[in-house]
Amino acid sequence: MAYIELLIEENTSESGNMQLDARGGCFDALAVARLLRCDAVYYDANGFERAASEDGPYEVCGELTMSDTVQSLVQAGGAARETVAESDLGFLWDFWYPALRSTEVTDKRLATAMLLEVPLVLGRASDGRAFAMRDSCPHRGIPLSYGRFDGQAVECSYHGWRFEACTGRCIEIPSLTSQDKLKVERIFAGHYPCEERDGYFWVFMNSQGTRLPETILPAPQLAVFSEKYRITHLTCDLPSHVDHGIIGLMDPAHGPFVHQSWYWRSRHSIHEKEKKFEPIPYGFRMSPHTPSSNSAPYRMLQKYTGEPVTTTIDFVLPNIRTEEIRSGKLWFSSRATVTPVRRGLCRIDFVAAWNLLLPVWIFRSFAKKFLRQDQETMILQAEGLEHNPRLMLIDDADRPAKWYFGLKTGLLESRRTGEAMVHPMIGPVTLHWRS
Ligand code: FES
Ligand SMILES: [Fe+2]
């Protein structure tokens, strides 16, 4: 019993928080400031970047290294077990991430997912509330997903401990007798805030186990602009660290090479482009603009409505790219998230809604092809990344990728110091590239 009490104590002690802070400590604000000034940024394939100045590609002008707390935390157990994954895999904690599609959870079935290397068991209580628990019994670690769920509580398959699904609180330990004084209600299975939105189970990946930050923003929601619309979801796994997935998503220069097709564009349609960007909280916006004239779908839209087409593209931490296209009363809105599953695997979840006369099946067949092209490219890239090459980011085409790393570091630094977050962009910027 003493052993159990000790674990409970650890779960609520401050030590977990300090470990958490340690993870932010490996990023250095000065290094990032230098990084953003460099014309080329070199970084290691494992997702932790290094910057090099133009005068010598091998001169490292800022080095961001991995924290070495992982192993010691693995040994520590208890609260440390809760915080091991966050200790430094380049993941951003304390954000909402989509764990799985709502359609994967039916009746009293328990579903499993992994986010940021944390195994989760998810379900819907009889009152309709979505829940997410750590898929590990706090007694002896067997996945709770092997247990039974009656609509209220999850019962572990090993010794039958029962946990309230929506709070993680233990409500029964069958082996206890009337002489035992163990306070069952003080034991918690790991659990995370969970909400259903846009057809996904969203989980707030809280770095502190059961203790939540003071304020949690609501889970993201796709913007829609009329009552009736069509909506569709697509998903695709990428065999890489989330950072590679994200910078791949915001990379304009691969379009003519990876996404060649007669209806979209060919490599011969490459031309110089000028795009305006502005900083927004936690991210950046490609200011509303008239989309690329070499893309057939946009030309068709403009012809149909007779009104100008404008597109706004935002990226915000931790992983969200949204795009809104509007022309007169017609609109198209999409969101792509790149979610870290584990260090070498991330997943794109793409949801799109529109009120155009565009059948879902037609859109899906194009979007699938598009995603597949990205996926195939990243499978090939993963082959190269396995050998830890040094890589580079160039201006201007890779500037958004530099901002992404700058935003990440700025956020971690502000969490570490408690100071306001330093944004990598000082104001609006115009970028030029050919694509
Ligand atoms: S391992 Fe779950 S009740 Fe013992
Ligand atoms: Fe792409």
Side-chain angles (χ1 to χ4, degrees):
M1 195 194 301
Y3 172 67
I4 291 168
E5 299 238 316
L6 179 71
L7 282 188
I8 297 165
E9 210 39 57
E10 278 184 6
N11 267 323
T12 53
S13 78
E14 290 300 319
S15 65
N17 303 348
M18 284 163 61
Q19 296 292 4
L20 161 68
D21 290 345
R23 127 184 94 89
C26 66
F27 288 88
D28 167 359
L30 265 177
V32 171
R34 284 197 300 267
L35 181 153
L36 290 164
R37 279 204 310 273
C38 294
D39 288 333
V41 174
Y42 293 82
Y43 60 107
D44 290 333
N46 64 7
F48 300 91
E49 71 269 39
R50 292 192 292 185
S53 66
E54 202 182 27
D55 38 277
Y58 299 106
E59 184 197 325
V60 173
C61 68
E63 185 154 2
L64 309 176
T65 52
M66 209 197 285
S67 148
D68 61 1
T69 53
V70 179
Q71 277 314 311
S72 55
L73 280 170
V74 170
Q75 315 298 335
R81 257 204 326 273
E82 292 287 318
T83 57
V84 65
E86 80 221 11
S87 53
D88 223 330
L89 298 170
F91 300 153
L92 290 179
W93 293 80
D94 297 312
F95 282 108
W96 290 96
Y97 289 97
L100 40 72
R101 288 294 316 285
S102 288
T103 46
E104 292 174 63
V105 182
T106 48
D107 302 322
K108 290 176 188 159
R109 204 178 74 84
L110 292 173
T112 58
M114 182 172 282
L115 290 177
L116 288 69
E117 295 207 348
V118 176
L120 298 170
V121 53
L122 304 105
R124 213 179 274 117
S126 354
D127 62 5
R129 273 187 299 163
F131 65 85
M133 297 163 89
R134 196 183 180 92
D135 194 13
S136 171
C137 179
H139 181 210
R140 299 255 282 279
I142 196 169
L144 287 170
S145 53
Y146 292 127
R148 286 200 318 205
F149 176 54
D150 62 3
Q152 309 270 303
V154 175
E155 183 185 282
C156 179
S157 58
Y158 202 168
H159 311 94
W161 292 21
R162 296 179 74 238
F163 302 92
E164 231 169 46
C166 293
T167 62
R169 184 187 293 275
C170 185
I171 50 173
E172 190 186 339
I173 296 183
S175 63
L176 294 181
T177 69
S178 55
Q179 286 153 55
D180 287 309
K181 290 196 187 66
L182 176 67
K183 294 193 181 79
V184 170
E185 71 284 358
R186 285 186 59 195
I187 299 172
F188 282 86
H191 65 281
Y192 299 87
C194 182
E195 275 180 30
E196 253 183 291
R197 203 155 292 173
D198 296 335
Y200 296 98
F201 269 58
W202 290 83
V203 180
F204 186 83
M205 291 309 288
N206 167 30
S207 57
Q208 302 178 41
T210 53
R211 185 180 305 184
L212 291 174
E214 270 164 32
T215 48
I216 300 182
L217 294 172
Q221 181 142 28
L222 184 71
V224 295
F225 304 96
S226 58
E227 236 166 69
K228 284 191 177 164
Y229 53 86
R230 296 180 165 94
I231 188 164
T232 190
H233 304 76
L234 288 162
T235 188
C236 148
D237 287 334
L238 304 176
S240 36
H241 188 278
V242 64
D243 286 347
H244 282 293
I246 286 176
I247 67 176
L249 189 79
M250 59 178 59
D251 162 23
H254 75 286
F257 299 92
V258 172
H259 301 298
Q260 290 177 32
S261 44
W262 62 267
Y263 57 86
W264 188 253
R265 59 180 62 155
S266 75
R267 59 187 297 168
H268 303 296
S269 73
I270 284 193
H271 65 275
E272 191 163 323
K273 287 180 188 156
E274 180 182 286
K275 306 272 177 183
K276 293 187 169 61
F277 289 83
E278 56 194 277
I280 56 174
Y282 292 104
F284 50 89
R285 165 168 300 165
M286 191 192 282
S287 314
H289 67 286
T290 303
S292 174
S293 57
N294 56 358
S295 297
Y298 296 129
R299 273 206 307 273
M300 273 155 55
L301 185 58
Q302 177 142 20
K303 230 177 177 175
Y304 185 81
T305 62
E307 299 204 43
V309 183
T310 59
T311 297
T312 308
I313 299 172
D314 284 358
F315 174 81
V316 289
L317 289 179
N319 65 345
I320 303 179
R321 178 192 192 271
T322 53
E323 179 164 1
E324 290 169 19
I325 302 170
R326 306 191 69 168
S327 178
K329 280 189 179 149
L330 297 185
W331 58 268
F332 172 93
S333 168
S334 73
R335 180 188 64 220
T337 48
V338 187
T339 295
V341 177
R342 44 184 163 78
R343 64 198 81 182
L345 181 67
C346 60
R347 188 188 64 242
I348 297 183
D349 290 297
F350 178 78
V351 53
W354 63 89
N355 71 344
L356 322 168
L357 285 172
L358 169 66
V360 167
W361 71 269
I362 293 189
F363 176 79
R364 281 182 71 86
S365 63
F366 285 112
K368 261 188 190 168
K369 184 164 180 194
F370 218 76
L371 278 175
R372 181 74 185 140
Q373 289 166 336
D374 281 328
Q375 188 187 38
E376 280 169 355
T377 305
M378 299 214 52
I379 290 170
L380 302 181
Q381 187 193 19
E383 200 182 304
L385 294 183
E386 229 174 87
H387 310 288
N388 255 341
R390 291 189 90 205
L391 310 169
M392 61 175 89
L393 299 172
I394 62 162
D395 282 333
D396 278 350
D398 294 331
R399 189 84 71 84
K402 290 189 190 179
W403 290 333
Y404 165 66
F405 286 121
L407 284 165
K408 249 183 111 171
T409 313
L411 174 80
L412 294 177
E413 186 61 13
S414 105
R415 284 180 177 178
R416 190 181 67 81
T417 58
E419 310 263 309
M421 178 174 158
V422 178
H423 199 290
M425 298 167 76
I426 306 162
V429 182
T430 304
L431 301 185
H432 300 86
W433 64 71
R434 281 166 49 81
S435 68

